[in-house]
Amino acid sequence: MRAWPPTLRGVAAWCGLVLALYVLVPWLFAGNLYLMSMIVAALTIGGVALAWALLGNLGGLVSFGHAAFFGVGSYASAILVMKHGWPVAPAMLAGGLCASLSAVLMLPALRLRGPYFALAVLAYAHIFRIVATEWTALTGGAGGIGNIARLPVVVGYDFSSKTGAYWVVLSLVLVFALVYRAIRDSDFGLALRAIRGSENATRAVGVNSVLLKAAMLFLSAFMTGVIGAFNAHYINFLEPDYAFSGQWTMLPIVAAIFGGYRTITGPLLGALVVYLADQLLFKEFMPIGHQMVLGVLLGAMIVLAPRGLLPLFGFIGTRSSASTRPATDA
């Protein structure tokens, strides 16, 4: 019997993995509501980590302000549903669009480089939190918005349940991963990687580096905003200090670096490992200061394996793609 070609083996492996994620995980853990809620939270962080990695890997921009997009998407979706009667699903997409529109205000920061851009975007995140706190007529101010509409019931199935929410956020991050891959493998992805190598050289041959970077900023903001909107309808409550919390920036950055931010699946793997290990293991032994362990592990990872977990262990697709493109872009 002839062996499958490498491409078909890779497709079969990915299909098997996706099937296991949709079927096996709920089958194993549906009875443990606490663990399912931890997995949903980890995938939520993973979605933001994927958006952050897309901006850093393709756009060449390091952001400390993704909490702004998360919070804008959260509030936009909640307000559209609660005050204007929108269905949840369109409101979530509108939340992503509102997050992209908020990124327009950050376009002047594209002139900055390195840590200056990161700090400028961080300042924007603080400004958005102040606006959400002070604009009480729209956002409810510091008191927040309660009883936000839950995820809908579709064909008799309640997606506000732990398993339903898991399927929703898993679908979102997988769609985002496919979009990320499509862009990376397109001519735009080639131009973006060239900009990362030498922006001045790409400008010399007519590539509009600012326009491409802005497009990645808008896409990253949209992805983060949709994840924020999902989270708002999942937890059914919002207040500014939570929606614009720095945890929606720092945890995704840690997850992306830990898993391998130049890969697509690395940020998702990093989020699952980092968040679940922190909440289910380190927190049990160190109720106070347990995040210091993550800091030590992250420092060790940066020194010993700067490309992250995924290239280190050669997960699905990494080795098979090594002969066709650099491992850092797997």
Side-chain angles (χ1 to χ4, degrees):
M1 183 176 178
R2 295 179 61 185
W4 287 9
T7 302
L8 291 180
R9 288 202 302 269
V11 170
W14 278 113
C15 288
L17 177 60
V18 170
L19 182 63
L21 290 173
Y22 273 102
V23 177
L24 191 59
V25 171
W27 181 70
L28 290 174
F29 305 120
N32 190 331
L33 297 181
Y34 176 71
L35 183 56
M36 283 299 295
S37 67
M38 291 294 101
I39 294 174
V40 171
L43 286 174
T44 301
I45 293 169
V48 182
L50 185 66
W52 183 88
L54 178 145
L55 182 62
N57 188 26
L58 296 183
L61 299 171
V62 177
S63 166
F64 286 166
H66 267 56
F69 308 137
F70 188 93
V72 169
S74 301
Y75 269 102
S77 185
I79 290 169
L80 287 173
V81 171
M82 300 298 291
K83 296 190 177 183
H84 300 284
W86 281 43
V88 170
M92 287 173 57
L93 294 177
L97 291 175
C98 289
S100 291
L101 290 175
S102 72
V104 173
L105 300 175
M106 301 180 184
L107 288 180
L110 289 178
R111 297 181 178 181
L112 304 175
R113 295 291 181 270
Y116 299 104
F117 173 83
L119 293 175
V121 176
L122 176 62
Y124 279 107
H126 284 292
I127 292 172
F128 281 120
R129 182 173 63 177
I130 293 171
V131 170
T133 303
E134 298 298 328
W135 198 351
T136 56
L138 183 67
T139 66
I145 303 175
N147 298 316
I148 298 173
R150 297 179 179 272
L151 296 170
V153 176
V154 180
V155 195
Y157 186 81
D158 185 5
F159 280 94
S160 66
S161 65
K162 298 299 183 186
T163 301
Y166 166 78
W167 281 332
V168 172
V169 71
L170 176 63
S171 298
L172 289 175
V173 297
L174 289 179
V175 169
F176 291 160
L178 290 174
V179 171
Y180 186 169
R181 181 182 178 90
I183 294 173
R184 187 201 62 188
D185 294 343
S186 68
D187 292 338
F188 293 106
L190 180 62
L192 286 163
R193 290 196 295 276
I195 291 171
R196 192 178 69 200
S198 176
E199 186 169 348
N200 291 332
T202 53
R203 284 179 177 175
V205 296
V207 175
N208 191 329
S209 60
V210 175
L211 181 62
L212 289 178
K213 286 184 176 183
M216 292 303 99
L217 177 63
F218 293 149
L219 178 58
S220 182
F222 174 81
M223 293 164 60
T224 306
V226 172
I227 294 295
F230 158 80
N231 188 67
H233 295 291
Y234 173 62
I235 66 172
N236 316 122
F237 176 77
L238 279 179
E239 54 92 18
D241 286 343
Y242 171 79
F244 295 95
S245 171
Q247 70 171 342
W248 302 118
T249 296
M250 292 300 105
L251 283 178
I253 290 176
V254 171
I257 294 175
F258 200 85
Y261 86 96
R262 291 202 185 279
T263 68
I264 295 176
T265 49
L268 302 178
L269 175 67
L272 289 169
V273 172
V274 166
Y275 187 78
L276 294 180
D278 180 54
Q279 294 295 311
L280 302 177
L281 183 61
F282 304 145
K283 195 174 182 180
E284 291 295 321
F285 294 100
M286 295 179 61
I288 299 176
H290 55 93
Q291 292 183 337
M292 290 190 299
V293 179
L294 286 180
V296 173
L297 290 178
L298 180 62
M301 178 64 68
I302 292 173
V303 172
L304 301 177
R307 289 161 57 193
L309 279 177
L310 197 68
L312 180 64
F313 292 105
F315 277 86
I316 298 172
T318 304
R319 290 178 179 174
S320 63
S321 61
S323 61
T324 59
R325 62 176 181 270
T328 54
D329 287 328

